[in-house]
């Protein structure tokens, strides 16, 4: 047995984030209470540094592995990581002025967040079942804790417990599935698993199918799609808004990375089976998410159901099992993350300004209280509803194109049908903001960093909608697909 | 170098009215009425100056035709659509006419619209209209034509309904819009056929390919048609709507509900002639279809006579002129039909001047009488409104085509060329136009005598008191100046332009911008008999149209000045005839019965069954109900109990297993 020194350079961002996270944990203990902003700054610097390190790795086509094939680096991983940093950065930014108001210590949120980010980075670069699982745990455990950060709030703790218990079951299912796959193929290495299944025409073997189903269940749970979505509304409602931002954007991108690694890289030969599963997941998510969102009066719950529906659309991209479809799914996920940043950003801004923003009706007359904020929310809502020229439309269009490309026209029709239903509750928000009188007409003020963040997400959606070319091509290129 | 100048001048010409419209429309309230009209008029004046420059370059210095795409507007597959400008002699003639009349009408409106609460809006609309009209005539492809076409339609709608608080105005604008939709339906289908067969909408490319498509046949539900004929006829349907040809003319009388300046500008001088311009511009298409030409001829000639006759029984001064406009449009169309496109455009030019003059003069009368439009309540006004009287008389003489007024040269040429023509239907058309000449002078002088001569019948509506004669006085300077400025071309334009426009053979002013097939070239035959405008005027009495016009004037004088009881007798003994005219041949009744009621009936049916029952009750509310049921069900699932959540997860897992394995 020969031991070769792994190429640490490939894992440099991970090493950097790990080091920094540990350092911040320690530093936070020793800095005085009034200087806690330092923790925040260090956390953001960590993300920026990681982004720079990751960005430098971009460019080599194909994959490189290290750590004895445990760790893989390719353009897909890099793009996913960059957007993980970006959304984490934005979530942290909204947390800066929000956390002190709710008496959540900086140290806990940012350090937990950084560890979770590290877990996500490991997932998207995992090339082995063990590493994958390790990353998943590192990614999930801090989030459970983050949901429960407001220890004295009943709703918060309840959400955390529910999330933790169901999450533990899901993780168990995934682990069980992975073990069955290992049993069937005799390998933990993702590429090797794929080869073995391909060569041995094992694809009909019962144990493989069992393993696949269990693994898919675990992953769909992380996405928060039907029928493993039950935690989503409770957690979105209960958790502090910056945590929801983190959970709804960063974690979703990581979950998509998990799907890419396991289903696309590892289990592509079983695509016929997992396509069927994802079709059910997608259709049920679109149906239940959109239908249930209509009756919600709580804005966070409404956005939670909307996220379920969006995960359904995103899953449609995977259903195609073509590079174009994967590219469309990635594009959809990235744009969805920007929309969520905008939507929960508005909620966070209103919370921060001392307004209760738990009900949709709390947005009443937002236009007269802060026209710019209302405009940004309008862009976000129209984007979510898929109204051109905002990017949500392009995202849905690319998914539908990919579906039609593999002759799944009926599925595209269903997607459109539910998109129409979904438009109802998005446009209702716009109506409430613009056509109803505010109960409390005091103008809303918010700090500059939040202003920049919300404007970037709102205007970004519009700009991306008008010139989606660059991002879209990037999303296609990481899968080696030629954009149409 | 000159090419750049032409491009710059055309852009200035098109865009300065748009800028004026934007400023006076958007900032009008802030900058005040005075600044709004100044901005609009300055914009128009710049545009007019640019138009003159273009006219001089193209007509006098014979610069080559400027035809260039400015930018790519859109593309789809093998089609690409550009925004481009074409400046040739036809364009410059149109542009000059449009900006000239528009400028004068702008000035006139200062007086006419004084005190209106929406003053700046009016100026903004008029400048916007001019912009669209310029796009229409300066575009180098069908798309620009269509853009301008719809734009002028929109502004026309807005301006007819300018006083939208009056129900008749709101209805009139709706009617104009809807009838024009019918025409535009044909028009856009025509453009679609062009695109389908030529693969491009660019004039130059379409015209180049047109000869090769001349023999092409298309099969429409078993019947064979020539492609060009189908194309030309569909496009002509559009022209029928915009240029108020039978049977789509019904909107034009209603359009008189708008303020008088826009009746002059839009519904007499410019917009309604868009159809005539379009046929002339597309002459290289129409020339390949004898059928289409014949249809244009017959429809035009029929309108020229029969719509003119309607003016004989109309008592509203503006409506008399409106029917006259339809009749004159009929003359222009008839000229198009016999391939005398230059005559059509020439008549368009002269008509723009004298018809705008008549309208504005009528407007001056209306202002003087405090918005009284009924000629039965006028009379003897020549004493009070001398300048209006003279200018109206000039306009009437020009319209009645007496030499040497402008209308004489253009209209006589049309009648002569139709006489020469052998296009199918030309004989019928000739007699229509000939009798039309008589009818024209009869109705316009009827209006003239009723308004300015005879006894004074100025009684206001409540019949409370006679207008004190001191109250009626000549209109203000802003109203009179345009009248005088329009009277000048109404007298001289024909005399000056007839030689270069009509009788210069291949050197004529329009030159290569129109195309006449050799077998339809009836104008050339006339050139040989032509000995200059003065000779033409002096020998007018040798042709029947002259005598018919004079007869019309005489009859009008007898009936309405000398022996007014003749009119009563005639009406009594020709009751049926009178009724037919009064009911406008039943077009409105038919439309009302067949389309309005029919459509309403069908709509009611669809509303009750389709909308209320199926869509509202079953689908919309049904969906709502179904969704609320479903969400109630979903809510039950989302019970909040952890063990329910886990149960659902496990159930989901088993369902997945079952789905994949079974």
């Amino acid at each position: 047995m020969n031991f070769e020194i792994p190429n640490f350079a490939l894992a440099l961002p991970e090493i950097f984030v790990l080091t920094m996270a540990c350092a911040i944990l320690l530093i936070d203990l020793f800095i005085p209470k009034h200087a806690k902003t330092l923790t925040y700054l260090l956390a953001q610097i960590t993300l920026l540094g990681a982004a720079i390190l990751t960005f430098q790795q971009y460019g080599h086509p194909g994959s490189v592995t290290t750590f004895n094939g445990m760790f893989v680096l390719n353009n897909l991983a890099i793009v996913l990581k960059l957007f993980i940093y970006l959304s984490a950065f934005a979530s942290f930014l909204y947390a800066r002025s929000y956390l002190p108001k709710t008496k959540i210590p900086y140290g806990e949120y940012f350090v937990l967040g950084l560890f979770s980010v590290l877990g996500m980075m490991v997932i998207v670069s995992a090339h082995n079942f063990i590493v994958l699982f390790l990353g998943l745990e590192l990614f999930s455990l801090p989030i459970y804790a983050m949901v429960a950060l407001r220890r004295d709030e009943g709703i918060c703790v309840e959400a955390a417990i529910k999330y933790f218990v169901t999450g533990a079951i899901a993780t168990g299912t995934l682990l069980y599935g992975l073990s069955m796959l290992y049993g069937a193929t005799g390998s933990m290495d993702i590429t090797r698993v794929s080869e073995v299944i391909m060569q041995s025409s094992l694809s009909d073997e019962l144990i493989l199918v069992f393993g696949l189903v269990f693994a898919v269940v675990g992953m769909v749970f992380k996405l928060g799609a039907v029928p493993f979505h039950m935690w989503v509304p409770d957690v979105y409602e209960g958790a502090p808004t910056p945590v929801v931002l983190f959970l709804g954007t960063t974690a979703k991108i990581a979950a998509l990375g998990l799907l890419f690694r396991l289903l696309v890289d590892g289990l592509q030969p079983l695509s016929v089976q997992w396509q069927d599963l994802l079709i059910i997941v997608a259709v049920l998510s679109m149906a239940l998410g959109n239908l249930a969102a209509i009756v919600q009066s709580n804005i966070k719950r409404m956005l939670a159901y909307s996220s379920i529906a969006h995960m359904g659309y995103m899953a449609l991209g995977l259903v195609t099992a073509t590079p174009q479809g994967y590219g469309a799914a990635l594009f959809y996920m990235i744009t969805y993350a920007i929309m969520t940043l905008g939507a929960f950003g508005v909620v966070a801004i209103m919370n921060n300004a001392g307004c209760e923003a738990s009900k949709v009706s709390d947005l009443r007359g937002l236009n007269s209280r802060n026209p710019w904020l209302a405009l940004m929310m309008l862009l976000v809502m129209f984007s979510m509803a898929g109204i051109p020229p905002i990017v949500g439309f392009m995202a849905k269009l690319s998914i539908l194109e990919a579906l039609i490309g593999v002759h799944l026209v009926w599925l595209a029709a269903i997607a459109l049908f539910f998109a129409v239903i979904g438009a109802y509750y998005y446009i209702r928000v716009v109506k409430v903001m613009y056509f109803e009188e505010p109960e409390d007409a005091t103008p809303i003020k918010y700090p500059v960093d939040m202003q920049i963040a919300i404007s970037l997400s709102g205007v970004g959606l519009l700009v991306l909608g008008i010139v989606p070319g660059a991002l879209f091509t990037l999303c296609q290129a990481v899968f080696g697909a030629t954009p149409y | 170098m000159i090419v750049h100048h032409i491009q710059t001048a055309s852009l200035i010409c098109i865009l300065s009215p748009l800028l004026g419209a934007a400023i006076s429309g958007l900032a009008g309230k802030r900058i005040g009425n005075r600044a709004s009209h100044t901005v609009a008029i300055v914009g128009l004046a710049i545009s007019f100056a640019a138009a003159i420059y273009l006219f001089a370059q193209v007509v006098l210095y014979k610069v080559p035709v400027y035809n260039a795409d400015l930018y790519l507007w859109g593309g789809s597959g093998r089609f690409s659509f550009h925004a481009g400008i074409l400046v040739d002699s036809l364009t410059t003639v149109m542009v000059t006419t449009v900006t000239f009349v528009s400028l004068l009408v702008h000035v006139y409106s200062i007086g006419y619209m004084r005190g209106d609460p929406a003053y700046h809006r009016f100026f903004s609309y008029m400048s916007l209209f001019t912009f669209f009209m310029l796009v229409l005539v300066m575009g180098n492809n069908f798309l620009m034509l269509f853009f301008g076409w719809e734009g002028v339609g929109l502004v026309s709608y807005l301006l007819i309904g300018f006083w939208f608080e009056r129900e008749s105005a709101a209805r009139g604008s709706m009617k104009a819009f809807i009838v024009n939709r019918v025409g535009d339906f044909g028009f856009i289908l025509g453009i679609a056929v062009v695109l389908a067969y030529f693969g491009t909408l660019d004039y130059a490319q379409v015209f180049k390919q047109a000869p090769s498509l001349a023999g092409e046949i298309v099969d429409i539900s078993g019947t064979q048609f020539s492609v060009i004929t189908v194309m030309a006829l569909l496009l002509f349907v559009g022209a029928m709507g915009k240029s108020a040809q039978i049977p789509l003319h019904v909107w034009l009388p209603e359009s008189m509900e708008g303020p008088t300046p826009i009746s002059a500008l839009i519904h007499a001088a410019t917009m309604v002639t868009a159809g005539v311009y379009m046929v002339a511009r597309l002459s290289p298409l129409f020339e390949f279809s004898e059928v289409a030409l014949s249809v244009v001829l017959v429809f035009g000639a029929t309108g020229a006579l029969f719509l003119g006759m309607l003016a004989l029984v109309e008592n509203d001064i503006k409506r008399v002129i409106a029917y006259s406009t339809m009749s004159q449009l009929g003359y222009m169309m008839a000229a198009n039909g016999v391939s005398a496109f230059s005559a059509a455009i020439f008549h368009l030019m002269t008509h723009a001047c004298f018809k705008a003059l008549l309208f504005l003069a009528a407007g001056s009368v209306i202002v003087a009488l405090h918005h009284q439009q009924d000629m039965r309540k006028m009379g003897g006004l020549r004493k009070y409104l001398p300048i209006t009287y003279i200018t109206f008389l000039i306009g009437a003489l020009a319209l009645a085509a007496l030499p040497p007024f402008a209308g004489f040269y253009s209209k006589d040429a049309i009648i002569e060329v139709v006489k020469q023509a052998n296009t199918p239907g030309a004989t019928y058309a000739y007699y229509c136009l000939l009798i039309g000449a008589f009818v024209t002078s009869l109705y316009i002088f009827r209006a003239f005598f009723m308004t300015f001569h005879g006894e004074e019948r100025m009684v206001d509506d409540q019949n409370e008191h006679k207008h004190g004669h001191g109250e009626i006085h000549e209109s203000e300077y802003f109203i009179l100046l345009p009248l005088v400025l329009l009277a000048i071309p109404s007298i001289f334009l024909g005399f000056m332009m007839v030689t270069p426009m009509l009788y210069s053979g291949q050197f004529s002013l329009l030159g290569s911008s129109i195309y006449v097939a050799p077998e339809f070239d009836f104008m050339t035959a006339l050139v040989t008999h032509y000995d200059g405008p003065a000779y033409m005027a002096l020998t007018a009495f040798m042709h029947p149209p002259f005598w018919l016009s004079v007869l019309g004037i005489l009859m009008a004088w007898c009936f309405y000045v000398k022996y007014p009881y003749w009119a009563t007798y005639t009406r009594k003994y020709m009751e049926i005839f009178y009724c037919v005219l009064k009911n406008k041949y039943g077009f409105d009744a038919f439309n009302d019965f067949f389309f309005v009621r029919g459509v309403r009936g069908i709509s009611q049916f669809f509303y009750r069954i389709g909308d209320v029952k199926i869509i509202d009750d079953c689908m919309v509310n049904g969906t709502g109900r179904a969704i609320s049921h479903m969400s109630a069900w979903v809510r039950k699932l989302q019970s909040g109990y952890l063990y329910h959540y886990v149960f659902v997860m496990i159930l989901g897992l088993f369902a997945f297993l079952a789905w994949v394995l079974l």
Side-chain angles (χ1 to χ4, degrees):
Chain A
M1 181 176 172
N2 55 340
F3 180 81
E4 52 179 301
I5 296 176
N7 183 359
F8 288 106
L10 296 180
L12 205 54
E14 282 81 359
I15 296 167
F16 176 71
V17 172
L18 175 64
T19 321
M20 284 300 283
C22 295
I24 294 170
L25 185 59
L26 287 177
I27 292 169
D28 185 61
L29 290 177
F30 294 102
I31 51 178
K33 259 220 163 79
H34 60 268
K36 288 290 185 192
T37 317
L38 186 64
T39 314
Y40 163 72
L41 288 176
L42 282 172
Q44 296 290 52
I45 289 168
T46 309
L47 288 175
L48 279 178
I52 292 167
L53 290 174
T54 309
F55 189 73
Q56 280 172 344
Q57 295 170 333
Y58 184 76
H60 307 286
S63 306
V64 203
T65 55
T66 183
F67 296 111
N68 252 339
M70 295 262 184
F71 185 94
V72 65
L73 189 72
N74 56 11
N75 285 344
L76 170 63
I78 290 169
V79 169
L80 283 170
K81 278 181 205 173
L82 285 175
F83 280 99
I84 286 171
Y85 305 145
L86 180 75
S87 52
F89 187 88
S91 312
F92 286 6
L93 191 143
Y94 284 111
R96 184 188 67 86
S97 43
Y98 181 93
L99 293 182
K101 297 211 166 140
T102 43
K103 305 220 167 58
I104 299 173
Y106 269 174
E108 295 180 4
Y109 177 85
F110 293 125
V111 172
L112 285 170
L114 280 183
F115 275 112
S116 185
V117 166
L118 179 62
M120 296 171 190
M121 294 161 74
V122 172
I123 289 177
V124 297
S125 273
H127 198 246
N128 185 297
F129 286 162
I130 294 290
V131 178
L132 193 81
F133 187 72
L134 220 61
L136 187 65
E137 286 300 279
L138 186 54
F139 143 53
S140 308
L141 285 172
I143 292 185
Y144 300 139
M146 283 163 86
V147 172
L149 273 180
R150 293 171 74 181
R151 286 177 284 267
D152 44 351
E153 289 274 337
I155 187 169
C156 215
V157 177
E158 183 190 333
I161 289 289
K162 280 176 181 165
Y163 187 30
F164 179 66
V165 172
T166 49
I169 293 171
T171 315
T173 331
L174 178 66
L175 190 60
Y176 192 36
L178 291 181
S179 70
M180 277 192 268
L181 291 173
Y182 172 61
T185 59
S187 175
M188 292 273 195
D189 185 275
I190 286 176
T191 314
R192 181 88 193 112
V193 167
S194 170
E195 284 165 7
V196 169
I197 298 172
M198 201 112 75
Q199 283 162 8
S200 56
S201 65
L202 276 171
S203 59
D204 292 334
E205 196 100 337
L206 202 59
I207 186 151
L208 265 181
V209 176
F210 259 83
L212 173 75
V213 170
F214 277 86
V216 166
V217 167
M219 290 185 289
V220 170
F221 176 87
K222 288 290 164 207
L223 272 185
V226 182
F228 309 101
H229 65 289
M230 305 292 273
W231 60 276
V232 179
D234 288 347
V235 170
Y236 274 48
E237 188 189 1
T241 311
V243 177
V244 181
L245 272 166
F246 188 76
L247 185 65
T249 57
T250 323
K252 298 261 152 132
I253 298 177
L256 181 64
L258 179 64
L259 281 165
F260 282 145
R261 282 287 167 241
L262 205 52
L263 291 186
V264 177
D265 286 358
L267 301 175
Q268 184 75 23
L270 294 177
S271 63
V272 179
Q273 278 88 351
W274 59 253
Q275 270 175 307
D276 278 354
L277 291 178
L278 287 183
I279 286 178
I280 309 177
V281 169
V283 171
L284 286 180
S285 301
M286 289 185 297
L288 188 134
N290 281 320
L291 288 177
I294 287 179
V295 290
Q296 300 304 321
S297 55
N298 184 304
I299 190 160
K300 283 168 139 187
R301 279 189 95 85
M302 189 200 94
L303 288 171
Y305 281 109
S306 135
S307 93
I308 294 173
H310 280 292
M311 288 309 113
Y313 287 104
M314 198 279 304
L316 285 178
L318 296 173
V319 162
T320 60
T322 59
Q324 276 86 4
Y326 302 146
L330 179 59
F331 184 70
Y332 197 95
M333 186 54 104
I334 290 170
T335 54
Y336 170 70
I338 303 175
M339 293 178 223
T340 311
L341 284 175
F344 277 104
V346 170
V347 175
I349 285 169
M350 295 199 53
N351 286 339
N352 188 54
C355 316
E356 190 63 28
S358 59
K359 291 215 155 46
V360 176
S361 56
D362 291 331
L363 291 175
R364 231 176 239 167
L366 185 61
N367 184 41
S368 59
R369 302 180 68 186
N370 191 326
W372 182 251
L373 198 58
L375 179 67
M376 292 303 113
M377 189 65 164
L378 172 123
L379 288 174
V380 170
M381 286 296 131
F382 277 4
S383 179
M384 283 192 169
I387 293 170
I390 308 169
V391 74
F393 168 74
M394 294 306 301
K396 282 206 171 63
L397 184 70
S398 60
I399 293 275
L400 295 182
E401 265 183 330
L403 276 180
I404 289 167
V406 293
H407 309 293
L408 286 170
V409 180
W410 64 274
L411 212 48
I414 292 181
L416 270 182
F417 176 73
F418 285 114
V420 173
I421 293 185
Y424 169 77
Y425 58 89
Y426 296 124
I427 292 173
R428 191 182 58 175
V429 172
V430 174
K431 182 207 148 215
V432 165
M433 288 192 306
Y434 279 88
F435 298 106
E436 287 182 15
E437 292 302 314
E439 285 159 2
D440 165 21
T442 46
I444 295 174
K445 293 207 172 63
Y446 50 107
V448 179
D449 54 348
M450 281 189 176
Q451 267 176 36
I452 295 173
I454 192 74
S455 307
L456 278 181
S457 35
V459 176
L461 288 174
L462 185 61
V463 171
L464 275 179
I466 295 166
V467 277
L471 182 60
F472 189 70
T473 316
L474 178 71
C475 290
Q476 295 286 339
V478 295
F479 292 101
T482 43
Y484 3 63
Chain B
M1 203 52 213
I2 194 75
V3 169
H4 285 289
H5 287 171
I6 296 274
Q7 183 178 2
T8 317
S10 349
L11 283 177
I12 289 174
C13 185
I14 292 182
L15 294 178
S16 60
L18 181 64
L19 190 67
I23 295 175
S24 58
L26 298 177
K29 277 225 169 98
R30 224 164 290 165
I31 61 178
N33 286 350
R34 208 185 165 77
S36 317
H37 74 230
T38 313
V39 165
I41 288 173
V42 167
L44 243 292
I46 294 172
S47 182
F48 179 57
I52 294 284
Y53 171 79
L54 289 177
F55 188 81
Q57 289 297 328
V58 173
V59 174
L60 302 181
Y61 302 120
K62 307 277 181 211
V63 300
V65 171
Y66 171 78
N67 180 4
D69 292 332
L70 296 177
Y71 61 91
L72 181 72
W73 177 77
S76 174
R78 66 198 171 90
F79 301 125
S80 62
F81 306 110
H82 291 269
I85 291 180
L86 170 65
V87 178
D88 61 2
S89 41
L90 177 57
T91 311
T92 54
V93 166
M94 289 299 293
V95 168
T96 319
T97 311
V98 168
T99 49
F100 174 64
V101 177
S102 179
L103 179 62
L104 291 181
V105 171
H106 268 74
V107 173
Y108 180 88
S109 302
I110 297 176
Y112 193 88
M113 298 303 289
R114 174 158 292 148
D116 195 279
Y119 189 82
H120 64 274
R121 185 159 61 92
F122 185 79
F123 277 90
S124 169
Y125 284 170
M126 280 214 302
S127 288
L128 185 65
F129 164 78
T130 314
F131 161 72
F132 280 126
M133 191 69 203
L134 291 174
V135 171
L136 194 160
V137 297
M138 288 180 107
N140 76 343
N141 57 55
F142 284 86
L143 196 74
M144 297 276 280
L145 177 70
F146 188 72
F147 171 68
W149 193 269
E150 294 300 308
V152 291
L154 167 72
V155 185
S156 156
Y157 162 78
L158 291 172
L159 281 169
I160 295 171
F162 185 74
W163 289 315
F164 50 81
E165 61 274 24
R166 278 206 330 231
E167 200 193 334
S168 58
R171 277 174 184 276
S173 63
M174 295 269 274
K175 190 164 177 181
F177 203 76
I178 291 167
V179 173
N180 268 300
R181 292 270 70 69
V182 178
D184 292 348
F185 181 66
F187 188 51
I188 199 163
L189 280 180
I191 294 180
V193 176
V194 168
L195 187 62
Y197 276 90
F198 293 110
T200 173
L201 289 180
D202 189 81
Y203 290 147
Q205 291 177 37
V206 167
F207 297 161
K208 207 163 66 191
Q209 294 176 39
S212 61
L213 207 68
E216 196 96 357
I217 295 293
V218 63
D219 194 297
I220 299 172
S221 64
T223 322
Q224 310 271 309
F225 291 98
S226 147
V227 173
I228 300 249
T229 302
V230 172
M231 221 177 267
L233 286 179
L234 285 171
L235 291 168
F236 181 61
V237 171
M240 280 162 121
K242 197 66 67 197
S243 289
Q245 298 293 301
I246 291 177
L248 297 181
H249 64 281
V250 289
W251 65 273
L252 194 55
E254 313 286 325
S255 77
M256 294 301 130
E257 293 298 336
T260 308
I262 69 113
S263 305
L265 175 62
I266 301 185
H267 304 117
T270 54
M271 184 188 85
V272 287
T273 59
V276 178
Y277 162 78
M278 189 256 277
V279 175
R281 170 60 79 199
L282 303 182
S283 54
L285 280 183
F286 279 78
E287 282 299 280
F288 288 102
S289 169
E290 193 179 34
V291 178
L293 285 175
S294 177
V295 168
V296 172
L297 174 63
V298 169
F299 272 89
T302 309
L305 173 61
F306 290 94
L307 295 178
M309 274 158 61
L310 293 180
L312 293 173
V313 297
E314 191 56 65
N315 287 318
D316 182 317
I317 186 167
K318 279 180 73 183
R319 288 189 181 222
V320 169
I321 310 178
Y323 281 114
S324 154
T325 304
M326 295 184 218
S327 161
Q328 297 305 309
L329 289 169
Y331 276 93
M332 297 176 210
M333 276 301 178
N336 277 336
V338 294
S339 309
F341 303 106
S342 53
I345 295 297
F346 184 40
H347 194 51
L348 190 160
M349 262 171 86
T350 57
H351 172 258
C353 294
F354 65 71
K355 188 51 65 65
L357 172 63
L358 283 172
F359 259 118
L360 296 185
S364 170
V365 171
I366 292 168
V367 169
L369 295 182
H370 306 287
H371 291 270
Q372 176 59 263
Q373 303 191 2
D374 193 335
M375 295 190 298
R376 283 169 300 189
K377 292 169 184 159
M378 298 177 184
L381 286 172
R382 70 176 184 280
K383 275 184 290 193
Y384 309 107
L385 308 170
I387 299 179
T388 308
Y389 170 70
I390 292 170
T391 48
F392 193 97
L393 176 64
I394 292 171
L397 287 170
L399 174 62
L402 286 181
F405 293 94
F408 164 72
Y409 292 99
S410 52
K411 198 151 117 189
D412 229 42
I414 292 177
I415 296 176
E416 279 303 305
V417 76
V418 172
K419 188 179 176 187
Q420 300 288 329
N422 58 14
T423 316
T427 318
Y428 162 77
Y430 174 64
Y431 286 109
C432 279
L433 298 185
L434 208 54
I435 303 169
F438 164 69
V439 173
T440 304
S441 64
L442 181 58
Y443 66 67
I444 197 64
F445 277 91
R446 169 178 171 268
F448 174 73
F449 290 129
M450 278 179 86
T451 310
F452 294 101
H453 288 262
E455 59 171 316
E456 292 172 19
R457 299 178 297 271
M458 281 80 78
V459 181
D460 68 4
D461 286 342
Q462 285 77 34
N463 213 356
E464 280 165 5
H465 61 282
K466 274 200 150 190
H467 270 295
H469 290 171
E471 277 185 44
I472 304 172
H473 50 79
E474 185 61 282
S475 309
E476 60 181 298
Y477 177 72
F478 284 123
I479 291 187
L480 296 180
L481 176 73
L483 293 185
V484 175
L485 287 181
L486 278 167
I488 297 167
S490 298
I491 303 173
F492 298 114
L493 187 65
F495 187 83
M496 279 161 45
M497 298 295 283
V498 63
T499 311
M501 281 293 283
L502 298 184
Y503 301 114
S504 303
Q506 73 266 42
F507 305 112
S508 78
L509 197 150
L510 293 180
S512 59
S513 49
I514 54 173
Y515 166 77
V516 180
E519 67 267 33
F520 298 127
D521 195 0
F522 311 114
M523 279 309 286
T524 318
L526 290 181
V527 176
T528 49
H529 302 293
Y530 176 74
D531 292 304
Y535 181 81
M536 190 175 167
L538 289 174
T539 56
F541 67 88
M542 292 166 68
H543 300 290
F546 173 77
W547 291 111
L548 285 169
S549 298
V550 172
L551 181 65
I553 297 172
L554 275 178
M555 263 184 80
W557 181 73
C558 291
F559 274 64
Y560 294 96
V561 181
K562 193 72 182 162
Y563 313 109
Y565 52 90
W566 282 19
T568 330
Y569 279 133
T570 317
R571 183 183 303 176
K572 201 183 270 172
Y573 291 114
M574 301 185 84
E575 186 72 44
I576 298 176
F577 190 61
Y578 178 78
C579 268
V580 167
L581 289 185
K582 202 69 195 166
N583 290 317
K584 299 159 193 158
Y585 309 116
F587 273 111
D588 276 336
F590 174 78
N591 286 345
D592 197 53
F593 176 77
F594 192 79
F595 292 112
V596 178
R597 279 227 216 120
V599 170
R600 272 213 191 140
I602 297 172
S603 314
Q604 275 291 337
F605 174 78
F606 281 122
Y607 173 69
R608 273 202 221 111
I609 306 294
D611 211 64
V612 175
K613 289 242 170 79
I614 297 179
I615 294 179
D616 278 3
D617 204 52
C618 193
M619 291 174 71
V620 177
N621 294 336
T623 314
R625 274 198 296 273
I627 286 173
S628 49
H629 281 305
M630 274 191 229
S631 28
W633 181 74
V634 169
R635 265 199 187 151
K636 259 180 216 156
L637 277 182
Q638 196 76 31
S639 58
Y641 291 118
L642 188 54
Y643 64 90
H644 279 170
Y645 289 15
V646 176
F647 181 65
V648 170
M649 280 179 73
I650 303 297
L651 217 60
L653 175 66
F654 281 123
F656 273 22
L657 277 176
W659 176 261
V660 174
L661 294 177
L662 297 178

